[in-house]
Amino acid sequence: GETTKFRMNFTTEFRKRALVFAGLILVLALPMWVWPWYCQGMLWIGLLAGMVEWWASTWNALQEGLLQDAPWMISTFCAWVAPTIIMVMQCEQVLGHRRVVECIFIQLVVGDTAQLLCGRTFGHTRICGSLSPGKTLEGYAGGMMLTILYGAVVHKWPLGDIVIAFVARGGGGP
């Protein structure tokens, strides 16, 4: 009955997450750890992909007649992209190559998973519907708090380093 259905959904979700995790290790983490130029290239590709996704979602929202979202989306984009460009340009000098890779990995693994779990457990307030239909304020806030806690307790990192990694990533996940 319900228990079997829950187990099947959980198993399917776990398998998907395990495959994504393996891909992150092989395609992102290991090459980024070894080659600083690869790390920098992936940061720029990620930033450009985020910018394209943002504008595609903004365009779709405008096409659907959601003109009231346009000023918010444009101003938020400008507030996000300018500091993120500066961060990508200077992150290796400020944090060091290995810390940058650690920040990215922690955000992708710990942050996204924490947001998913917090969003599914506590999420009620939908935000950024045109960018990420499943994203909730509770998932975003809970994921950020758990990521900060993880970085501070496990790695003894300053709060600023962890927040930079979280915000620059755009806080993906539900």
Side-chain angles (χ1 to χ4, degrees):
E2 282 297 312
T3 305
T4 305
K5 185 177 177 182
F6 172 78
R7 265 193 216 133
M8 288 176 52
N9 286 341
F10 179 79
T11 303
T12 302
E13 184 72 29
F14 181 77
R15 284 185 185 150
K16 287 180 194 175
R17 294 240 167 222
L19 284 172
V20 168
F21 182 73
L24 287 172
I25 296 290
L26 296 174
V27 176
L28 284 177
L30 290 177
M32 288 174 77
W33 190 261
V34 174
W35 300 302
W37 62 266
Y38 187 86
C39 180
Q40 191 69 25
M42 289 292 107
L43 289 172
W44 284 109
I45 288 170
L47 175 59
L48 292 173
M51 291 168 61
V52 167
E53 178 185 14
W54 188 278
W55 285 112
S57 295
T58 300
W59 179 257
N60 287 339
L62 293 175
Q63 296 301 311
E64 293 173 10
L66 301 174
L67 294 176
Q68 72 274 10
D69 288 347
W72 175 86
M73 294 182 87
I74 292 168
S75 62
T76 306
F77 176 81
C78 294
W80 164 70
V81 80
T84 303
I85 288 172
I86 293 167
M87 189 239 8
V88 170
M89 289 171 45
Q90 297 181 352
C91 64
E92 289 191 25
Q93 294 84 4
V94 173
L95 298 175
H97 169 247
R98 297 288 166 101
R99 170 96 27 118
V100 169
V101 176
E102 289 172 353
C103 284
I104 293 167
F105 190 71
I106 287 169
Q107 172 47 38
L108 290 174
V109 175
V110 176
D112 279 1
T113 302
Q115 287 179 64
L116 174 74
L117 295 175
C118 289
R120 286 196 177 164
T121 305
F122 307 110
H124 298 289
T125 311
R126 300 263 182 222
I127 58 171
C128 305
S130 57
L131 289 174
S132 180
K135 185 180 294 301
T136 64
L137 180 61
E138 296 83 3
Y140 186 82
M144 184 170 179
M145 286 188 286
L146 290 173
T147 303
I148 289 169
L149 182 66
Y150 173 85
V153 171
V154 174
H155 295 281
K156 311 277 190 271
W157 287 358
L159 176 65
D161 290 359
I162 304 163
V163 172
I164 288 170
F166 189 86
V167 173
R169 166 67 168 72

